[in-house]
Amino acid sequence: MNGREAGLTLFVAVLVALTAYGVATTPQPRTAAHIGSADSFVCPLPQNVSGSADIPTTANRIAVPPRPAPGTVPTTFTPTSAVVCDTFTGDTVAADGTVSYLERHYIGDFGPVLEALNAPSARPAWPIFCGTTDDSMPPLTDMWLIDADGRAMEPTYPISGCGFDNTLGLYEIQSLPEIFTVEHHAQLDPAAIELLFNCPSALPALPTPGPRPLLDLSIFPSGICRFDTTGPIPAFTGARIWNSTDPVLSEEVLADPPAASPCTETATSVVAVAVTDSATDDWRPVTIAVELDGCRRILGNGFTPLAASPNIVTALSSTG
């Protein structure tokens, strides 16, 4: 075989491969959704609560009938509003373990929404152009559309070339005016509170001081739990997420606060955070408690108490 024949053979082989790839990767037609009553649609528990078997919860709402099958928006359906459910609960939990999440209602021009939702799926791309995937995909957002007759349907998204949902339609909905919200509630047990808020939901007693310097710990709280300490055992009164707008507690603690002075006053309110002790082989958790009144100390089992600055007390006294 001469060079010209070899080149022609290679060209034909590549052409056949590309043709076969094109046939094999032609996107499947998308099917239209079924339409049902809007009463069949209720926001589920947010994914940070329902997405893990480690989080036992009780939802305070009535049962609803199954939803109609999702799909593209039928040509016989003209949406007048959309509902989008929160994917995460709020930043606070009440003393009884109750957390809240919102059902958000939007109205406006649904032309761009329908164009994005009903777009065909893309042809699968060559794997080398998609890179590697990991577990950092955004959480799925529950959403449905409602028409003027009170009917509803759940749209699906076209699939991108790399196999992911193309959520442009959701973006278009969330760009519309949000006219009102409905608040829902779920109740968490103590184990769920500790997992979601990363702070102890029970405090048998205040930490017992010891000789170790508390400054050995880097305290980066992701959540704080509050306790009423007027009774024989501290009583849980709620928790909240430590968010980006809060002062950074670690900077305050590591700014060399003075050792706590001798004091016999009894605190009536305490907050606790859970941190890890990097000086131990197993990075065991350490509970740090801060007295918001009384002696206003920063306490840890086996650690020398420090004096809590007014800034720390003010920051930790905030309930939301």
Side-chain angles (χ1 to χ4, degrees), residues 66-139:
R67 290 187 186 182
T72 59
V73 183
T75 56
T76 57
F77 185 89
T78 303
T80 56
S81 65
V83 177
V84 179
C85 304
D86 279 357
T87 54
F88 297 100
T89 56
D91 287 347
T92 62
V93 60
D96 64 353
T98 299
V99 290
S100 64
Y101 53 99
L102 296 179
E103 169 187 314
R104 304 174 186 274
H105 289 247
Y106 300 85
I107 62 171
D109 178 10
F110 279 85
V113 173
L114 296 180
E115 182 178 354
L117 289 175
N118 283 357
S121 294
R123 184 185 299 277
W126 289 93
I128 60 174
F129 296 119
C130 293
T132 58
T133 59
D134 53 32
D135 295 329
S136 61
M137 293 297 295

Side-chain angles (χ1 to χ4, degrees), residues 7-306:
L8 182 60
T9 300
L10 178 61
F11 172 77
V12 171
V14 171
L15 183 62
V16 170
L18 290 174
T19 302
Y21 175 79
V23 172
T25 60
T26 299
Q28 292 295 321
R30 302 179 61 205
T31 58
H34 293 179
I35 303 171
S37 169
D39 294 336
S40 299
F41 294 81
V42 172
C43 283
L45 288 173
Q47 288 191 20
N48 68 321
V49 171
S50 63
S52 172
D54 297 329
I55 304 179
T57 61
T58 301
N60 301 322
R61 64 167 181 264
I62 60 174
V64 295
R67 290 187 186 182
T72 59
V73 183
T75 56
T76 57
F77 185 89
T78 303
T80 56
S81 65
V83 177
V84 179
C85 304
D86 279 357
T87 54
F88 297 100
T89 56
D91 287 347
T92 62
V93 60
D96 64 353
T98 299
V99 290
S100 64
Y101 53 99
L102 296 179
E103 169 187 314
R104 304 174 186 274
H105 289 247
Y106 300 85
I107 62 171
D109 178 10
F110 279 85
V113 173
L114 296 180
E115 182 178 354
L117 289 175
N118 283 357
S121 294
R123 184 185 299 277
W126 289 93
I128 60 174
F129 296 119
C130 293
T132 58
T133 59
D134 53 32
D135 295 329
S136 61
M137 293 297 295
L140 296 177
T141 301
D142 193 43
M143 176 261 291
W144 63 88
L145 306 178
I146 304 173
D147 71 4
D149 297 323
R151 303 183 304 163
M153 53 78 54
E154 180 182 356
T156 55
Y157 301 110
I159 304 301
S160 72
C162 291
F164 305 125
D165 285 338
N166 180 348
T167 57
L168 177 60
L170 175 62
Y171 169 81
E172 294 289 356
I173 288 174
Q174 293 177 316
S175 298
L176 297 174
E178 181 180 316
I179 55 171
F180 69 91
T181 60
V182 177
E183 187 173 37
H184 296 282
H185 299 92
Q187 193 169 32
L188 308 179
D189 77 352
I193 293 171
E194 292 185 12
L195 185 59
L196 289 177
F197 289 83
N198 194 31
C199 59
S201 62
L203 197 63
L206 290 181
T208 302
R212 185 177 170 190
L214 189 59
L215 295 179
D216 286 352
L217 298 176
S218 295
I219 302 176
F220 294 90
S222 56
I224 59 174
C225 289
R226 302 187 306 275
F227 296 89
D228 181 330
T229 53
T230 56
I233 297 176
F236 177 77
T237 60
R240 72 179 179 92
I241 298 296
W242 190 265
N243 59 53
S244 59
T245 63
D246 289 315
V248 180
L249 183 59
S250 61
E251 292 180 357
E252 293 283 355
V253 171
L254 298 179
D256 294 329
S261 302
C263 176
T264 58
E265 292 184 53
T266 301
T268 64
S269 182
V270 168
V271 298
V273 301
V275 299
T276 54
D277 186 354
S278 58
T280 60
D281 292 336
D282 56 358
W283 288 57
R284 66 172 61 97
V286 176
T287 295
I288 302 299
V290 181
E291 298 171 319
L292 301 183
D293 57 10
C295 295
R296 291 184 168 84
R297 297 171 298 176
I298 303 172
L299 303 170
N301 272 329
F303 292 89
T304 302
L306 299 177

